[in-house]
Amino acid sequence: MISERRAHRPAVMGTRGMVSTAHPLASAAAVEMLWRGGNAVDAAVAAASTLNVVEPFMSGIGGDGLLLLTLGKTGERKVLDFMGRTPFAAKPEACTAEALQRGPKSCLVPGNFAGWWEALTTHGRLSPAIVFDPAIRHAEQGFPLTHRGTFFFGEHKGRLTSDALRIFCPIGVVPEPGTILGHKALAATLRRLAHEGPALLYRGELGKRLCEAVQAAGGWLTTEDLDGFRPEWTQPVTATFREHEVASVPPPAAGVQVLETLGILEGYDFAALGHNSADALHLIIETVKLTMADRIAYQSIPDPPVAGLLSGGYAAAQRARIDPARAAVSGGERYATTVPPGAVDPGDPYGYQREHTTHFSVIDGYGNAASITQTLGSPFGSGFLAGDTGILLNNLLMWNDLDPKSPNVLAPHRKVETRMAPVQVFRDGSLVAALGTPGSYGIPQTTTQMLLNLLVYEMDIQEAIEAPRVRVYTDRTVDAEARIPVDVRAALEARGHVLRLLPEYSWVVGGGQGVTRDPATGTLAGGADPRRDGYAIGW
């Protein structure tokens, strides 16, 4: 047990509800729903739509996402997949790799609003007019840009088209912290959607205007793509880690990588090794190299071998491949035509078959838990604002490859691999935690490190989120936050790791948000990442 608080802010406590999001105004919007008699789903959708306004560079109507949901009354666990498919016109020969990074040709079908509406109308308590009101209010009346918001605007404004720049940098320069920003066109769109529902976007006049703007700029998206989209309820993937059961989202999302990583690491005594010791970090880094290779090989293929990847026998076989004294070579975070010599190959799980982004978590006083990860892809997504709709579109086609040998090759109307992996943790059948993070390919790595902090090192949720982290890349390259001690970094380098030093708190290693629950008392604790604008609010 940690005897002295190891975080610069305390975990927030409550009993009737707890919200942790990437922005204080989104957290406030979610708590407002709880105060008005809503549940975790109402709160999550209010947070999601408010983040569209106050954190426009991370997510919004023009993006996609996943919901991991536990229903307190029945204990049912379910996943709502609102990741859009590739457009029907999407073909590798019709674009370049650069076109998939930004601009009107880089977007998947935007699924977020359909997902929000499906969750709200299926499991919420409040009317859409109430739930979307905070987002509409902030878009109409304006909100103060945070210091972190100014940083992201400054770093990524080059991704924006001229029309988008006029909205987000209205006087031609990056707004200063405290600048009041509004978005009248987005407010009008949100107001109409709250009143008319998703048919307006996916089969109506709003969707037609959006697609006309995309096609006029050379993009692929059509009304046929929008009309063919439906959110899908599915089942989570689960695995045990010591005395806990961990649930996450199924392929082609990255929940399996998190669970596989935990399964391999379960064979080591991390408590004895010590938190963020050289031995502990080496094992985490080497395990991530193996599970990244498996994710690239299996996550986006039809009928991936999930049972094999999560089996105890396969975990033992993968564990045996790790050299405790020397860093292996990684093939990288995503498929590559050429990889460094000696790079680790994916394992063979078939013999064991029998055995980028924002995140927020809400747990209410009824035991409902809603964990959503949603994204535009890169900061500001495609950078393309669709005409006068106020909708900034995603660039999630960047996660596709143009090489026909890739399991994740670009093709018409297909589901694509995503890095998102919200998780929930249970003990003896009772919910004890809900957490997740943004971070693109680093999401499964950050999530695993936060879970180890929480479940092995017995940190509270704020400590588990704030603790320094690493991120693994190609070859032997590893990013490490500067709070990891100098002697530990030197010991890792002696084993062959090539470290790149990050600031003490870096957004590169994610921005975790989480809530824990004590089954004995019902006490809720919220933690939020200072690497972003994260804030937890309890009731």
Side-chain angles (χ1 to χ4, degrees), residues 132 152 331 350 422 433 487 494 508 523:
F132 289 106
F152 273 105
Y350 287 97
D487 62 328
V508 171
T523 297

Side-chain angles (χ1 to χ4, degrees), residues 181-251:
L181 291 179
H183 197 164
K184 301 290 188 182
L186 178 59
T189 289
L190 282 166
R191 188 178 297 281
R192 288 192 64 192
L193 285 168
H195 178 68
E196 300 181 45
L200 176 67
L201 175 59
Y202 295 93
R203 286 167 290 285
E205 174 265 335
L206 178 64
K208 182 179 179 182
R209 283 163 44 213
L210 183 148
C211 291
E212 287 173 348
V214 170
Q215 291 167 33
W220 283 324
L221 200 65
T222 68
T223 54
E224 181 186 12
D225 295 310
L226 294 179
D227 183 59
F229 177 72
R230 300 291 187 279
E232 179 184 3
W233 289 103
T234 184
Q235 295 301 305
V237 289
T238 60
T240 57
F241 180 75
R242 303 192 178 176
E243 67 271 25
H244 296 91
E245 183 181 17
V246 183
S248 191
V249 289

Side-chain angles (χ1 to χ4, degrees), residues 441-456:
Y441 293 97
I443 287 173
Q445 302 184 41
T446 292
T447 302
T448 300
Q449 291 172 78
M450 293 191 298
L451 286 170
L452 289 175
N453 294 341
L454 194 66
L455 304 180
V456 174

Side-chain angles (χ1 to χ4, degrees), residues 153-351:
F153 274 47
E155 286 284 297
H156 303 290
K157 66 181 178 66
R159 299 187 56 80
L160 296 170
T161 63
S162 57
D163 288 341
L165 269 174
R166 281 193 286 272
I167 297 295
F168 298 112
C169 301
I171 61 173
V173 296
V174 175
E176 294 291 329
T179 301
I180 303 299
L181 291 179
H183 197 164
K184 301 290 188 182
L186 178 59
T189 289
L190 282 166
R191 188 178 297 281
R192 288 192 64 192
L193 285 168
H195 178 68
E196 300 181 45
L200 176 67
L201 175 59
Y202 295 93
R203 286 167 290 285
E205 174 265 335
L206 178 64
K208 182 179 179 182
R209 283 163 44 213
L210 183 148
C211 291
E212 287 173 348
V214 170
Q215 291 167 33
W220 283 324
L221 200 65
T222 68
T223 54
E224 181 186 12
D225 295 310
L226 294 179
D227 183 59
F229 177 72
R230 300 291 187 279
E232 179 184 3
W233 289 103
T234 184
Q235 295 301 305
V237 289
T238 60
T240 57
F241 180 75
R242 303 192 178 176
E243 67 271 25
H244 296 91
E245 183 181 17
V246 183
S248 191
V249 289
V256 169
Q257 184 185 345
V258 173
L259 301 183
E260 183 191 350
T261 303
L262 288 174
I264 297 170
L265 295 177
E266 189 173 15
Y268 301 108
D269 187 351
F270 277 92
L273 294 174
H275 179 253
N276 275 359
S277 67
D279 288 339
L281 287 173
H282 175 77
L283 293 174
I284 293 170
I285 292 166
E286 295 306 292
T287 299
V288 165
K289 292 173 183 177
L290 296 173
T291 60
M292 281 200 310
D294 281 353
R295 172 180 53 75
I296 292 167
Y298 302 118
Q299 184 171 302
S300 59
I301 66 173
D303 195 22
V306 172
L309 290 166
L310 300 184
S311 73
Y314 185 65
Q318 290 286 72
R319 201 178 301 123
R321 298 175 64 189
I322 295 174
D323 185 339
R326 189 66 183 165
V329 175
S330 169
E333 295 183 305
R334 65 178 295 170
Y335 176 85
T337 304
T338 59
V339 297
V344 294
D345 293 320
D348 182 6
Y350 287 97

Side-chain angles (χ1 to χ4, degrees), residues 87-108:
F88 283 104
K91 298 176 183 178
E93 62 271 20
C95 69
T96 64
E98 182 180 3
L100 297 185
Q101 295 298 316
R102 63 184 295 267
K105 200 170 264 190
S106 64
C107 63
L108 290 178

Side-chain angles (χ1 to χ4, degrees), residues 427-464:
R427 184 167 182 171
D428 298 327
S430 295
L431 177 74
V432 296
L435 59 89
T437 181
S440 188
Y441 293 97
I443 287 173
Q445 302 184 41
T446 292
T447 302
T448 300
Q449 291 172 78
M450 293 191 298
L451 286 170
L452 289 175
N453 294 341
L454 194 66
L455 304 180
V456 174
Y457 297 111
E458 299 183 347
M459 297 182 185
D460 71 33
I461 186 63
Q462 186 65 41
E463 293 167 338

